[in-house]
Each structure stands twice: as C-alpha cells, then as structure tokens.
Amino acid sequence: PKFKAAPGAAPAAAKAGGSAAARSSSGRRSLPGAAAGAAPKAASSKRAAGPPSGAPPRPLPSAEEPTEWPPKVPLGPFEDVLPMIEEDDDAIDTLILQRLGAFSGEASDAEPSAAGCGLGFGLKALEYICGCLAKNTTVTHLNASFNSIGDLGASRIAALVAAAPAGPPLAKLSLNYCSVGDAGAVALAEVLTANKSIRTVELLSNSIAAAGGEALLEMLKKNRTLGQLMLNFNDVPDATMIQIERQLMVR
C-alpha cells in the first residue's frame, strides 16, 4: 500500500500514533512525519520554529516502563520496522524513533529509566536500534527527537556515524529535545569534523552550553559539508552562536 505523510517535523505527525508514512522522491518509504528528499542546498542560520524566546524546553512525556523486548518502531500498518532496517530493505530511507501512543495522551507520572525513557526510547533500546542500523545502507535520516537519550545516547549515535562508510549513509541527524549536554555535543562534533555525508544536524532544545557550542564551532571550521546546524533553545553563549551562524553563512 502507498502511504502519505503530512509535511513537518516528527512531533507534529506523531499524533497519528505512527500510522502515517510517505514515499520519498526516490520511491523509498519514509517513517511517519519525515521530510524526505535531498539535503539542503544552501546553508541556513535562520532560527527554527519553537517555543518563544526564554521559554523552558517542552517536557518529555513519561509512562510506565515497557516490558516487551526487543523494542519496536512502528511504520504505517507495520508494528515494527526494525527487522526491515536490519535486513537493509531499500524501501526505507528515514527512521523516526517513536513508540505507538507516544504523543496520544497516555502519559503517567512514572519516572523514565535507562532502558526506556517514558514513552520514548532510552539507552538500552537505542543500543539495540543502532545495532539494527549497523549494516544498513539505505537510511539517510535518523530522527531520535523527543527521546531522553542524554549524552550517552548522543555518544552512541556518534559512534554509529564514526563507523562510516559502514552503516547507514546518513545525511540528516535530528536530536531535538533529547537531553543532550556538552559531553554529547563534543562527541558529535568530533565525528562530524571529518564526515562528508551529513548535511543537516538538529539539536534544538537540549542542554548544550559553552563547551559544547565551542566544540561545534571548531567542527564547522573544518567541515565544509555540513550546511545546517540548528542549536536554538540551548545555553550556548550568544557570542558563540554568532560565530556559528557566520560559519554557516559562508558554506
């Protein structure tokens, strides 16, 4: 069957409970809420849409710790797309880490844990998912937004990127609202310095401050492939943000 997703970011489509999917211009099927297509042609330093300036980050939902294992990532009518990712199904080019019901109002007051943070995915699940991606050659967009994976999770994704050319040929990495701090930003900056495939990195509404911002700035001075780095709603000093925007403008 053919699937069609509404345009926009993953959180906007998440209300559908993972029931929407789309095909990219190449004919590949995308996960719900994904914007399939080529990477940005030009650098952009414009601020992305989000909460008003000075507003606190949107809280992540929380729910009872899931008991099923291995974790499942839905795709349209499919309850779990991870086996398809592991088998290198060339119909899939976008992977959004979203559980069924993650944004359907099923949250409770349970505390998130390392195995599965609330209704999102945690470190244990992320490790499993990265293992499924290890030999994949078709996924170009990995979206882990709204999963509280923290610095350790960002470092695990950095290791996946560092394994190139093995693993997925990522062109876009979305880690918005992931509780990533300076250590995670530094880990990402280190692997992105020599990366030639990733053109867009989204790190909106995390906990990145001076050290992480400086590491990303130094990365941009050496990496001329990355055209878009979204860092709004972090704690990066204004002076560093200005220098980052200048680096992106001269791509």
Side-chain angles (χ1 to χ4, degrees), residues 6-17 20 32-34 58 96 98 103 143 146:
K15 294 181 180 180
R58 194 180 313 168
I96 296 179
Q98 169 198 317
F103 294 89
N143 189 342
F146 289 87

Side-chain angles (χ1 to χ4, degrees), residues 2-6 18-23 29-33 75-77:
K2 294 184 178 180
F3 308 101
K4 185 176 182 181
S19 62
R23 288 186 179 273
R29 185 167 58 238
S30 302
L31 281 172
L75 168 66

Side-chain angles (χ1 to χ4, degrees), residues 17-227:
S19 62
R23 288 186 179 273
S24 68
S25 58
S26 63
R28 293 174 177 170
R29 185 167 58 238
S30 302
L31 281 172
K41 294 182 180 179
S44 171
S45 60
K46 294 182 180 180
R47 289 187 176 270
S53 178
R58 194 180 313 168
L60 291 168
S62 61
E64 295 293 339
E65 179 67 26
T67 57
E68 67 176 12
W69 189 263
K72 297 179 179 180
V73 177
L75 168 66
F78 301 103
E79 183 179 349
D80 182 21
V81 73
L82 290 179
M84 301 167 68
I85 294 289
E86 192 170 17
E87 293 170 6
D88 204 17
D89 190 322
D90 62 5
I92 302 172
D93 62 4
T94 300
L95 178 61
I96 296 179
L97 306 187
Q98 169 198 317
R99 279 204 183 104
L100 283 170
F103 294 89
S104 63
E106 298 175 6
S108 72
D109 295 327
E111 289 295 326
S113 73
C117 296
L119 281 166
F121 293 100
L123 295 177
K124 182 180 178 182
L126 180 65
E127 182 67 34
Y128 176 85
I129 293 166
C130 285
C132 294
L133 283 164
K135 296 182 180 180
N136 181 275
T137 63
T138 65
V139 173
T140 59
H141 181 193
L142 174 59
N143 189 342
S145 298
F146 289 87
N147 292 281
S148 189
I149 59 176
D151 288 333
L152 292 177
S155 297
R156 179 62 184 88
I157 291 175
L160 180 68
V161 173
L170 295 175
K172 184 174 182 179
L173 188 59
S174 301
L175 299 174
N176 306 311
Y177 293 90
C178 284
S179 302
V180 177
D182 282 338
V186 169
L188 289 169
E190 289 177 353
V191 301
L192 288 171
T193 298
N195 184 274
K196 301 298 182 184
S197 66
I198 296 180
R199 298 179 180 274
T200 300
V201 174
E202 299 176 354
L203 289 165
L204 299 172
S205 295
N206 283 291
S207 302
I208 302 170
E214 188 65 30
L216 291 167
L217 172 61
E218 292 304 312
M219 174 272 297
L220 286 174
K221 293 178 180 179
K222 300 175 182 178
N223 180 323
R224 312 308 292 182
T225 303
L226 188 64

